[in-house]
């Protein structure tokens, strides 16, 4: 019995030794067989691009495949075309690899195999049909072996942040913006009324008697028109008197006669045969005859006076019916442009506003879309000196050089900035999430990691809000799509990645 026991124990010892050797098998770089290389990620923003890149930590001799997510900052869309070259540089030496196209929309997958340990620079050169960009990650460590990498990096664990993948953000309306430092003003909140600007409305009248014929049956108020577009014809054909064709022929005959007389008298005057007074009388008759003929003949085609749009705009009003008779001087139609308007606002005189202490005026073209007169190179036109008869308020008139697609007389919210501005931390108003008077924003910690952060706000200046507490300049906040990120935080689960990591 003892003999059999000794044999069994011997086999067990051999098995344990073999298992122990297997557990300590190493790769050539010193890492254990089957040991997973830890991953790192970086997020870098430029004025044009957001780069979120994930890759296995760089180890000498080990290939590292990148998942480089490139997002165009404007409208937050993935880069769908182009190439990316990644360069790993130490001193004046380096290696590079190029991905000629994205492996999937927005994601490029170049592979780098480091040759030397130490501090490097990692440079991404993005080239698209629309633009080029260079993004640099400084002071990136390349480790000599896996043990050194594990000791340096360790296990980061969960940080409690909200996961919202790039693939999710690319599928919805999504936008981010950096928290900035800027001037913040005291504002007067009021309302304004849109009025036509000087020269933005052109009223056209009949320059001859005749029947009005519309150029198209679709001519109605609000119809968009282009400069020079034919709107109406005024035809006097068939009229016994005030016939346009007859008047033009008569004016042409007078003009031809006056021209002949003018040329003949001019030669006599230059030869000093007739006095200056006689020549000046002929010259005056010639000028009048020319003006009358050109005025009658201008805009005439087929015996009809043509009424054309004076500029790009829309039909503001039509004052006559198709086929109606119009006498000379009758108002026919008016055309307006939306490119310039006057904004009239009213405030209490106790604010003591002057032309000097008004700094800006913000208005809305639609709910939530704030713009300022300075953005459109507008100006404050005037401030009334007296209150209006039916209202103890003073009026402020501002010219807005912007396309305002609202009828004259429409109302808009207005903020009037006054006094001297103070430096403050600013965030777009669209980034705010409100819960019963408490405000928060979604801060982008990295490419796919977000945090809901409570903030305290101060003054509002148009589309920007002053942040008193909770944010720092350079933080990146979600300005469009914050609600979707909020819902992701409430789902209780982290969505699976749709790309190779």
């Amino acid at each position: 019995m003892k003999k059999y026991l000794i044999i069994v124990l011997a086999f067990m010892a051999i098995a344990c030794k073999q298992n122990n050797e297997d557990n300590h098998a190493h790769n050539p770089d010193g890492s254990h067989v089957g040991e997973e290389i830890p991953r790192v990620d970086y997020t870098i923003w430029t004025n044009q691009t957001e780069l979120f890149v994930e890759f296995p930590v760089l180890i000498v001799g080990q290939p590292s495949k990148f998942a480089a997510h490139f997002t165009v900052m404007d409208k937050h869309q993935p880069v769908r075309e182009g190439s990316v070259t990644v360069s790993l540089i130490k001193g004046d030496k380096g290696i590079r690899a190029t991905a000629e196209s994205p492996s999937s929309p927005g994601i490029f997958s170049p592979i780098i195999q480091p040759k030397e340990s130490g501090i490097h620079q990692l440079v991404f050169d993005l080239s698209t049909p629309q633009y080029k960009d260079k993004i640099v990650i400084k002071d990136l460590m390349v480790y000599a072996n896996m043990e050194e990498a594990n000791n340096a990096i360790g296990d980061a664990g969960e940080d409690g942040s909200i996961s919202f993948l790039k693939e999710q953000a690319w599928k919805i309306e999504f936008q981010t913006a950096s928290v900035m430092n800027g001037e913040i003003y005291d504002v007067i909140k009021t309302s304004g009324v849109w009025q036509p600007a000087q020269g933005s409305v052109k009223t056209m009248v009949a320059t001859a008697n005749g029947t009005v014929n519309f150029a198209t049956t679709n001519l109605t108020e609000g119809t968009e028109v282009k400069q020079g577009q034919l709107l109406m014809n005024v035809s006097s054909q068939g009229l016994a008197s005030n016939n346009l064709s007859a008047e033009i022929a008569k004016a042409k005959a007078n003009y031809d006669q006056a021209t002949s007389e003018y040329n003949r008298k001019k030669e006599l005057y230059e030869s000093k045969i007739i006095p200056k007074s006689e020549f000046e009388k002929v010259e005056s008759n010639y000028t009048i005859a020319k003006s009358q003929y050109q005025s009658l003949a201008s805009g005439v085609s087929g015996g009809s006076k043509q009424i054309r749009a004076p500029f790009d705009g829309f039909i503001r009003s039509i004052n006559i019916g198709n086929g109606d008779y119009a006498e000379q001087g009758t108002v026919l139609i008016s055309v307006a442009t939306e490119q310039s308007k006057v904004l009239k606002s009213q405030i209490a005189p106790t604010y003591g506003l002057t032309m000097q202490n008004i700094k800006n005026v913000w208005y809305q073209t639609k709910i939530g879309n704030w713009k300022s007169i300075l953005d459109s190179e507008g100006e404050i036109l005037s401030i009334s000196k007296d209150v209006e008869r039916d209202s103890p308020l003073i009026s402020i008139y501002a010219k807005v050089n912007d396309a305002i697609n609202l009828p004259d007389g429409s109302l808009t919210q207005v903020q009037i900035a006054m006094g001297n501005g103070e430096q403050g931390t600013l965030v777009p108003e669209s980034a705010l999430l409100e819960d019963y008077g408490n405000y928060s924003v979604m801060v982008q910690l990295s490419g796919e990691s977000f945090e809901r952060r409570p903030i305290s706000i101060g003054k509002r200046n148009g589309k920007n809000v002053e942040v008193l507490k909770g944010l720092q300049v350079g933080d990146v906040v979600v300005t469009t799509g914050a609600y979707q990120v909020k819902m992701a935080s409430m789902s209780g689960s982290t969505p699976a990645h749709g790309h190779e990591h």
Side-chain angles (χ1 to χ4, degrees):
M1 183 70 181
K2 289 183 179 180
K3 179 179 180 181
Y4 289 118
L5 180 60
I6 292 171
I7 294 173
V8 170
L9 290 175
F11 276 114
M12 289 178 63
I14 294 172
C16 288
K17 181 179 179 182
Q18 181 66 40
N19 186 54
N20 190 51
E21 289 176 351
D22 289 343
N23 286 339
H24 288 82
H26 288 75
N27 289 315
D29 69 335
S31 62
H32 297 299
V33 173
E35 185 175 4
E36 184 178 353
I37 300 177
R39 302 183 67 86
V40 291
D41 64 81
Y42 293 85
T43 305
I44 307 290
W45 292 271
T46 70
N47 292 332
Q48 301 180 94
T49 314
E50 176 199 295
L51 167 63
F52 169 60
V53 59
E54 298 176 296
F55 54 93
V57 65
L58 298 182
I59 299 173
V60 173
Q62 289 289 327
S64 182
K65 184 178 182 180
F66 291 77
H69 306 60
F70 286 91
T71 303
V72 181
M73 290 297 290
D74 183 26
K75 297 185 173 49
H76 209 86
Q77 288 296 300
V79 173
R80 301 180 185 277
E81 295 181 90
S83 63
V84 169
T85 297
V86 58
S87 303
L88 185 64
I89 303 170
K90 181 181 182 182
D92 57 356
K93 296 185 297 182
I95 56 175
R96 67 177 54 184
T98 299
E100 298 294 346
S101 61
S103 54
S104 61
I107 304 176
F108 293 79
S109 305
I111 298 175
I112 283 284
Q113 184 170 333
K115 297 180 178 179
E116 185 179 355
S117 63
I119 301 295
H120 291 66
Q121 274 193 348
L122 193 62
V123 181
F124 293 84
D125 287 295
L126 172 67
S127 178
T128 76
Q130 292 75 34
Y131 73 99
K132 297 180 184 295
D133 206 354
K134 180 186 289 288
I135 303 173
V136 180
I137 299 175
K138 298 180 179 180
D139 300 330
L140 182 69
M141 176 61 76
V142 175
Y143 298 97
N145 50 56
M146 178 72 79
E147 182 179 1
E148 182 181 318
N150 282 326
N151 291 337
I153 295 175
D155 185 9
E158 294 292 332
D159 59 2
S161 62
I162 303 167
S163 178
F164 195 74
L165 304 186
K166 303 307 299 182
E167 290 88 343
Q168 290 176 280
W170 289 336
K171 291 178 181 178
I172 64 172
E173 289 189 12
F174 197 84
Q175 189 66 61
T176 60
S178 296
V179 178
M180 298 185 299
N181 191 48
E183 285 191 323
I184 197 81
Y185 292 91
D186 290 324
V187 298
I188 303 168
K189 295 181 179 180
T190 182
S191 62
V193 178
W194 291 113
Q195 298 180 344
Q198 185 73 26
S200 65
V201 178
K202 178 73 172 178
T203 300
M204 286 161 285
V205 301
T207 55
N209 299 332
T211 303
V212 176
N213 298 306
F214 289 4
T216 172
T217 56
N218 297 325
L219 195 65
T220 57
E221 293 183 1
T223 301
E224 293 186 0
V225 295
K226 296 293 184 181
Q227 183 177 6
Q229 179 179 335
L230 180 63
L231 306 177
M232 298 176 174
N233 288 301
V234 181
S235 174
S236 60
Q237 292 181 359
L239 297 180
S241 60
N242 297 322
N243 186 287
L244 180 59
S245 297
E247 290 183 1
I248 291 175
K250 182 180 178 181
K252 179 66 164 61
N254 291 337
Y255 173 51
D256 290 342
Q257 183 179 359
T259 301
S260 177
E261 182 70 6
Y262 170 76
N263 291 332
R264 188 173 66 85
K265 292 291 186 180
K266 184 178 181 181
E267 290 181 3
L268 294 175
Y269 170 69
E270 290 175 349
S271 300
K272 298 183 180 181
I273 297 175
I274 62 172
K276 181 178 181 181
S277 58
E278 184 177 346
F279 172 69
E280 287 177 343
K281 183 178 179 180
V282 172
E283 185 179 38
S284 176
N285 292 336
Y286 162 75
T287 302
I288 293 171
K290 179 181 178 181
S291 177
Q292 289 177 340
Y293 168 68
Q294 289 179 341
S295 177
L296 284 171
S298 175
V300 174
S301 177
S304 299
K305 270 283 189 181
Q306 295 183 330
I307 307 299
R308 295 183 177 273
F311 43 66
D312 293 350
F314 63 95
I315 304 299
R316 190 169 186 264
S317 64
I318 300 174
N319 302 87
I320 198 167
N322 191 18
D324 289 351
Y325 175 79
E327 294 185 351
Q328 186 174 352
T330 301
V331 175
L332 302 177
I333 191 171
S334 63
V335 177
T337 176
E338 298 171 334
Q339 299 304 314
S340 180
K341 284 188 182 290
V342 168
L343 179 61
K344 176 186 176 183
S345 305
Q346 292 185 307
I347 63 169
T350 53
Y351 285 108
L353 274 184
T354 65
M355 293 288 287
Q356 288 71 37
N357 65 12
I358 294 183
K359 302 302 182 182
N360 202 353
V361 175
W362 289 280
Y363 57 89
Q364 287 188 328
T365 54
K366 59 183 179 181
I367 295 177
N369 183 29
W370 286 99
K371 293 187 175 182
S372 82
I373 62 169
L374 296 184
D375 292 338
S376 63
E377 298 183 354
E379 59 180 330
I380 305 296
L381 297 175
S382 64
I383 300 175
S384 63
K385 302 299 182 183
D386 301 313
V387 297
E388 297 187 357
R389 179 181 301 176
D390 301 327
S391 177
L393 301 172
I394 61 172
S395 299
I396 298 111
Y397 296 89
K399 184 179 181 182
V400 177
N401 296 322
D402 196 3
I404 307 299
N405 299 315
L406 295 170
D408 293 336
S410 299
L411 295 175
T412 178
Q413 295 185 50
V414 172
Q415 293 181 11
I416 302 174
M418 59 182 294
N420 296 318
E422 298 178 352
Q423 291 296 312
T425 302
L426 303 180
V427 67
E429 185 181 42
S430 59
L432 297 183
L433 295 171
E434 182 179 5
D435 290 315
Y436 303 103
N438 297 315
Y439 294 95
S440 62
V441 294
M442 285 295 175
V443 179
Q444 186 176 10
L445 303 176
S446 67
E448 298 180 334
S449 179
F450 297 80
E451 173 188 79
R452 185 175 183 180
R453 189 177 300 173
I455 62 171
S456 299
I457 66 171
K459 302 170 187 175
R460 299 189 185 219
N461 281 187
K463 62 184 178 181
N464 290 322
V465 178
E466 180 186 22
V467 178
L468 303 176
K469 184 180 179 182
L471 291 174
Q472 294 181 344
V473 173
D475 286 342
V476 176
V477 297
V478 180
T479 58
T480 302
Y483 180 76
Q484 283 82 351
V485 179
K486 175 184 175 183
M487 293 304 295
S489 70
M490 299 168 63
S491 66
S493 62
T494 301
H497 285 285
H499 48 80
E500 181 182 353
H501 279 229

